Amino acid sequence: TQLLEQSPQFLSIQEGENLTVYCNSSSVFSSLQWYRQEPGEGPVLLVTVVTGGEVKKLKRLTFQFGDARKDSSLHITAAQPGDTGLYLCVDGGGSNYKLTFGKGTLLTVNP
Amino acid sequence: DAGVTQSPTHLIKTRGQQVTLRCSPISGHKSVSWYQQVLGQGPQFIFQYYEKEERGRGNFPDRFSARQFPNYSSELNVNALLLGDSALYLCASSFSMVRDSYGYTFGSGTRLTVV
């Protein structure tokens, strides 16, 4: 059974600060996805990464996939209160296409 | 366009009762998956249905069952409710079972509380 470990579990920062959260898998990712979940809502897909070593940027968010395809990081530049939410690392693969989620990093950006 | 619709949004049940949760996928989407999210955890896979057939089942007891209708909507049933079944139940839809960059679109979930 694949285990996804995310760190830190909680992160509280001030608006304007930079941050990085991490995800490590016990096995190679089929495909790596990051989702953000706001309170009372379902997760929303941010990015899908497939190739080891790949870096994707989405405005102030930078996603990096490790060369060995077992780890990933998400860096946010100049965080804003709207970035507040639960960031979930996900393996989007598998023979039955189920999603395997980590426990998430709960980010709070204070104004 | 309407997103994934789940009903009800909140539900309180007593131990031992049965519950039915409903999901309407995005128009044109043929695959529906169900996930359970316990407080403080990431979602866990329960079922996937595609073209009205079960295509995947997670590690949940037989008290959990589901089905998909001809219009691709879906129901999740849980019998003999336990306190540990209290969670946010999420439905996700996608066009097909093919792995693509678009991932799944999730509904806002049904918050089930078992007392």
Side-chain angles (χ1 to χ4, degrees):
Chain A
T1 303
Q2 182 183 26
L3 295 177
L4 301 181
E5 291 193 12
Q6 294 191 240
S7 61
Q9 187 176 356
F10 301 97
L11 188 57
S12 180
I13 62 171
Q14 295 300 122
E15 183 176 1
E17 293 183 359
N18 301 332
L19 66 113
T20 303
V21 298
Y22 302 91
C23 174
N24 287 281
S25 175
S26 59
S27 58
V28 172
F29 280 93
S30 298
S31 66
L32 167 68
Q33 296 182 327
W34 284 92
Y35 284 74
R36 180 172 67 207
Q37 184 177 22
E38 298 182 12
E41 300 294 328
V44 174
L45 178 67
L46 297 175
V47 74
T48 298
V49 189
V50 178
T51 305
E54 188 173 2
V55 177
K56 282 195 173 182
K57 293 189 176 183
L58 181 65
K59 295 183 181 178
R60 294 176 295 100
L61 279 60
T62 301
F63 304 86
Q64 187 156 2
F65 199 14
D67 291 340
R69 300 178 69 244
K70 293 183 68 176
D71 60 277
S72 178
S73 63
L74 161 58
H75 181 79
I76 300 179
T77 302
Q80 299 176 359
D83 296 325
T84 292
L86 181 67
Y87 287 81
L88 294 159
C89 168
V90 181
D91 188 324
S95 59
N96 58 0
Y97 303 103
K98 75 172 188 177
L99 302 179
T100 301
F101 286 81
K103 293 183 179 181
T105 292
L106 185 59
L107 172 65
T108 303
V109 182
N110 302 297
Chain B
D1 286 341
V4 178
T5 304
Q6 292 188 243
S7 63
T9 56
H10 295 82
L11 201 53
I12 299 175
K13 289 286 189 177
T14 304
R15 278 178 297 175
Q17 286 189 315
Q18 176 265 343
V19 68
T20 298
L21 311 181
R22 296 176 175 82
C23 172
S24 293
I26 289 174
S27 177
H29 282 193
K30 301 179 180 180
S31 175
V32 169
S33 299
W34 288 94
Y35 287 80
Q36 181 197 64
Q37 186 175 22
V38 174
L39 194 63
Q41 304 288 325
Q44 276 200 301
F45 173 73
I46 309 175
F47 287 109
Q48 181 180 41
Y49 278 78
Y50 177 68
E51 289 285 15
K52 301 176 286 293
E53 290 189 10
E54 181 184 306
R55 301 303 180 111
R57 172 186 285 257
N59 188 23
F60 280 81
D62 292 343
R63 300 184 295 107
F64 288 76
S65 63
R67 56 181 174 169
Q68 187 176 34
F69 298 100
N71 66 354
Y72 302 109
S73 67
S74 178
E75 288 182 351
L76 175 69
N77 296 285
V78 186
N79 294 322
L81 285 167
L82 303 174
L83 295 180
D85 295 331
S86 295
L88 180 68
Y89 288 85
L90 294 163
C91 173
S93 80
S94 63
F95 176 72
S96 72
M97 286 189 66
V98 176
R99 190 183 308 128
D100 59 38
S101 299
Y102 300 102
Y104 292 81
T105 301
F106 282 84
S108 297
T110 294
R111 173 69 65 186
L112 172 65
T113 302
V114 182
V115 298

